[in-house]
Amino acid sequence: QVQLVESGGGLVQAGGSLRLSCAASGRTFSNYAMGWFRQAPGKEREFVSAISQSGGRTRYADSVKGRFTISRDNAKNVVYLQMNSLKPEDTAVYYCAAGPYELAGVPDRYPDWGQGTQVTVSS
């Protein structure tokens, strides 16, 4: 099991940027594929982005493609989500997740989850 702690959320105006971080501990970070998901009030948790164990492959939801960038630093045990050109519809709690399946886009492929960080985008 790997422990995950997200940070970097906050309140930002539409068009602004935020960078989320997810710090991992407990197991060998580079063995895990990582994903970011989000959940807005009253909605199901949805896939945002994923990155392979090495960081060489990435995947994005269509809704964030071209605006968000996922990356990881295996030496620091951290995965990032750079979010640019934010929109009010990006408002949600953002979760990072770890699992064995590369670039998985569904929550049940990730056994380990952080507690989430709130992102609020005002119009």
Side-chain angles (χ1 to χ4, degrees):
Q1 188 176 10
V2 60
Q3 289 76 47
L4 303 170
V5 179
E6 302 95 336
S7 61
L11 173 64
V12 64
Q13 289 188 332
S17 298
L18 284 173
R19 188 177 80 157
L20 305 183
S21 299
C22 174
S25 62
R27 291 289 180 93
T28 303
F29 179 65
S30 59
N31 288 345
Y32 291 84
M34 299 297 295
W36 284 97
F37 290 76
R38 65 187 182 187
Q39 188 166 19
K43 295 188 176 181
E44 292 187 353
R45 193 165 297 191
E46 67 171 356
F47 171 75
V48 176
S49 183
I51 190 166
S52 64
Q53 286 85 338
S54 68
R57 296 181 65 199
T58 58
R59 177 184 176 187
Y60 297 93
D62 287 343
S63 59
V64 307
K65 201 171 293 183
R67 299 188 297 123
F68 290 11
T69 302
I70 191 171
S71 62
R72 66 189 295 163
D73 185 337
N74 285 344
K76 296 182 178 179
N77 292 354
V78 181
V79 62
Y80 303 100
L81 186 68
Q82 178 67 45
M83 306 187 295
N84 298 329
S85 302
L86 283 160
K87 305 175 181 180
E89 51 264 44
D90 294 318
T91 295
V93 177
Y94 283 70
Y95 299 89
C96 70
Y101 303 105
E102 186 175 276
L103 304 182
V106 292
D108 65 5
R109 289 293 187 173
Y110 294 89
D112 300 315
W113 292 81
Q115 294 300 306
T117 185
Q118 176 71 48
V119 171
T120 303
V121 184
S122 63
S123 57

